[in-house]
Amino acid sequence: MVLSKACTYGILASLYMAREATRSKDYISIGRMSKELNISFHFLTKILQQLTSAGILISMKGPKGGVALKRKPEEISLVDIVVAIDGMGLFTECLLGLPGCGEEKPCPVHDDWANIRAKLFHTFRGKNLAETASRIDSMNLRLSSEFPMNI
Amino acid sequence: MVLSKACTYGILASLYMAREATRSKDYISIGRMSKELNISFHFLTKILQQLTSAGILISMKGPKGGVALKRKPEEISLVDIVVAIDGMGLFTECLLGLPGCGEEKPCPVHDDWANIRAKLFHTFRGKNLAETASRIDSMNLRLSSEFPMNI
DNA sequence: TGAAAATAAGATAAACGGGTCTCAAAATAA
DNA sequence: TTATTTTGAGACCCGTTTATCTTATTTTCA
Ligand code: SF4
Ligand code: SF4
């Protein structure tokens, strides 16, 4: 898997919060999100704690508490979430797993992989939560996995 | 990690065999490969067994035995190795891990990911063992990880 | 103040990938 | 034939990821 499960959950939750942020300024409870996104509550909690300590979210305990995006959704890119949870590995690691990959002694697939890797990075970096989340509504896309499979 | 460790080992061993195949027609012992590539012998054995049962290698027991590419190195692409070990997942799975990814109800990053995914597939498919292995020699590239690291 | 609601934190367990180990089976060569 | 060399096959171990569970801690509100 390209992204860890934790990372995809983090992205889905972030998109969910970005969509909510346009409607209210309140905190969103993790329990509610975990139900709507079909993600284990405790697992999601741990993931969002990572995003909180990474400075992407702010959290508040107690009734009316929950979690919210720290910055405006337009200012948060998908790469922020990915890096906070999975680290930079995907964008820096060698495709063939050789330690110390570099330009001087590159492996046979270096050029192609470096190209794809960069494209992946720029794609994630170029997508902010606001625009991505708005597409969910306008194009009737899905966020949760409660739909039937096809292909 | 994009490719599993087993898969990268399989690719490295295949490239090694492709390089050897141009010099002799003998079987190559897994023990020798495991030493030269710095890969655990038993683990490499298991991986190459997968390639054998996938029809990519042929094997022979006993002294002078070992393993060899079944077809000519020019006719084996990297995608053959990847699919035999890791399956088609990398080229078909959803980036966000949602089951049943598809065109009808795609997730918000579908278009970009599908594009990158396709590029990845065509890159692997377009690289055959012969050409890739020959670059190892002609450009003094590396196959094993016994070299010092440099970013 | 006290009950309830929510995150924080950490222990625990299951599943998986990576890796090791042992023994069997086959082929060679003495 | 017998010893040796090799792959084949499977059990087993270990660390990480995924997931669950339990126990604080903080906040709100009656
Ligand atoms: S493609 Fe480049 S970064 Fe990846 S393993 Fe090869 S040399 Fe290293
Ligand atoms: S990008 Fe396409 S294939 Fe990947 S999860 Fe989204 S809808 Fe599915």
Side-chain angles (χ1 to χ4, degrees), chain A residues 101 104 112 127 140 142 150, chain B residues 100 104 112 127 150-151:
Chain A
C101 111
E104 305 148 31
D112 298 279
K127 292 207 159 307
N140 196 27
R142 69 182 182 183
N150 38 16
Chain B
E104 305 149 30
D112 298 278
K127 292 204 162 308
N150 41 13
I151 287 199

Side-chain angles (χ1 to χ4, degrees), chain A residues 1-3 5 8-9 11-12 15 78 90 93-113 115-116 119-120 123-124 127 132-133 135-136 139-145 147-151, chain B residues 1-3 5 7-9 11-12 15 78 90 93-102 104-113 115-116 119-121 123-124 127 132-133 135-136 140-145 147-151:
Chain A
M1 224 178 338
V2 175
L3 300 179
K5 219 117 192 250
T8 72
Y9 291 166
I11 291 176
L12 294 177
L15 290 172
L78 291 188
L90 177 60
E93 267 168 20
C94 180
L95 179 64
L96 293 186
L98 297 177
C101 111
E103 306 293 333
E104 305 148 31
K105 282 277 187 183
C107 81
V109 292
H110 177 88
D111 292 345
D112 298 279
W113 171 241
N115 184 347
I116 290 175
K119 215 170 286 280
L120 203 54
T123 297
F124 279 125
K127 292 207 159 307
T132 308
R135 277 196 54 201
I136 297 172
M139 299 190 58
N140 196 27
L141 301 181
R142 69 182 182 183
L143 253 188
S144 89
S145 58
F147 298 101
M149 304 199 195
N150 38 16
I151 292 190
Chain B
M1 228 181 331
V2 174
L3 300 180
K5 217 108 191 257
C7 189
T8 73
Y9 290 166
I11 291 177
L12 293 179
L15 290 172
L78 290 187
L90 177 60
E93 268 169 20
C94 179
L95 180 64
L96 293 186
L98 298 175
C101 113
E104 305 149 30
K105 282 276 189 184
C107 81
V109 293
H110 178 87
D111 292 344
D112 298 278
W113 172 241
N115 184 345
I116 290 174
K119 215 170 286 279
L120 204 54
F121 182 77
T123 296
F124 279 125
K127 292 204 162 308
T132 308
R135 277 195 55 201
I136 296 172
N140 197 27
L141 301 180
R142 69 182 182 183
L143 251 188
S144 89
S145 59
F147 297 103
M149 304 199 196
N150 41 13
I151 287 199

Side-chain angles (χ1 to χ4, degrees), chain A residues 53-68:
Chain A
S53 67
I56 294 173
L57 303 180
I58 49 178
S59 69
M60 176 62 106
K61 289 177 181 178
K64 285 291 184 181
V67 88

Side-chain angles (χ1 to χ4, degrees), chain B residues 12-117:
Chain B
L12 293 179
S14 298
L15 290 172
Y16 185 91
M17 283 184 280
R19 194 163 54 169
E20 292 296 301
T22 66
R23 299 186 188 137
S24 87
K25 268 296 180 185
D26 295 342
Y27 290 101
I28 303 167
S29 98
I30 302 178
R32 181 179 139 205
M33 261 191 290
S34 76
K35 282 190 198 101
E36 297 221 28
L37 298 176
N38 278 325
I39 301 172
S40 147
F41 167 69
H42 293 283
F43 192 30
L44 184 57
T45 296
K46 269 205 324 191
I47 296 161
L48 298 187
Q49 275 171 24
Q50 290 184 76
L51 294 183
T52 301
S53 69
I56 294 174
L57 303 181
I58 49 176
S59 69
M60 177 62 105
K61 289 179 184 176
K64 284 289 184 183
V67 87
L69 297 169
K70 193 169 186 178
R71 288 169 283 152
K72 276 180 283 186
E74 299 84 25
E75 296 169 356
I76 304 175
S77 75
L78 290 187
V79 87
D80 296 329
I81 318 286
V82 172
V83 169
I85 297 174
D86 279 354
M88 282 291 292
L90 177 60
F91 312 117
T92 61
E93 268 169 20
C94 179
L95 180 64
L96 293 186
L98 298 175
C101 113
E103 305 293 332
E104 305 149 30
K105 282 276 189 184
C107 81
V109 293
H110 178 87
D111 292 344
D112 298 278
W113 172 241
N115 184 345
I116 290 174
R117 208 169 57 175

Side-chain angles (χ1 to χ4, degrees), chain A residues 3 7 10 12 32-33 35-37 41 45-46 52-53 72 78 95-96 123 131 133 142 145 149:
Chain A
L3 300 179
C7 189
L12 294 177
R32 181 178 139 210
M33 260 192 291
K35 281 192 199 97
E36 298 222 27
L37 298 176
F41 167 69
T45 296
K46 272 208 323 189
T52 302
S53 67
K72 277 181 282 189
L78 291 188
L95 179 64
L96 293 186
T123 297
E131 180 205 347
R142 69 182 182 183
S145 58
M149 304 199 195

